[in-house]
Amino acid sequence: MSDYEFTFNALTGAGSELVTCKMIYERDEHGTYAENIESVIFNGVEAIGLISEEHFAELERTGIEKLTRHLIEERDRAQEP
């Protein structure tokens, strides 16, 4: 299996700061699995080690939701004539 990569923006932290996250995941005929955030960039600086477990879990949930929407939209575009 190959790793796939998905980049998304999200708000996190007490100040709802904008971060850019890179998520890697696996994909098969049943969908995605093994989703994991590999990078969190805040103001151009890697910040993954500075995020609390709670905020990291929130970013993972957000990332999975955005990835799911993205894949559905991608599938729908592929089916257009």
Side-chain angles (χ1 to χ4, degrees):
M1 297 287 163
S2 299
D3 282 346
Y4 292 85
E5 186 176 301
F6 177 67
T7 302
F8 65 95
N9 293 320
L11 300 175
T12 192
S16 293
E17 300 294 338
L18 181 65
V19 294
T20 301
C21 301
K22 180 170 73 171
M23 176 178 276
I24 57 170
Y25 62 98
E26 299 285 331
R27 188 174 178 179
D28 64 15
E29 65 274 4
H30 302 291
T32 64
Y33 62 96
E35 298 91 346
N36 187 43
I37 292 178
E38 187 175 81
S39 175
V40 178
I41 304 295
F42 172 68
N43 285 340
V45 177
E46 179 59 59
I48 197 165
L50 305 174
I51 296 175
S52 71
E53 287 182 36
E54 177 184 332
H55 289 139
F56 188 80
E58 176 186 323
L59 287 173
E60 281 187 322
R61 284 190 301 274
T62 300
I64 290 170
E65 289 171 10
K66 288 184 177 214
L67 174 61
T68 300
R69 275 194 306 265
H70 169 75
L71 293 173
I72 289 170
E73 290 169 1
E74 186 179 77
R75 182 197 67 208
D76 290 347
R77 279 192 303 273
Q79 293 176 354
E80 292 177 357

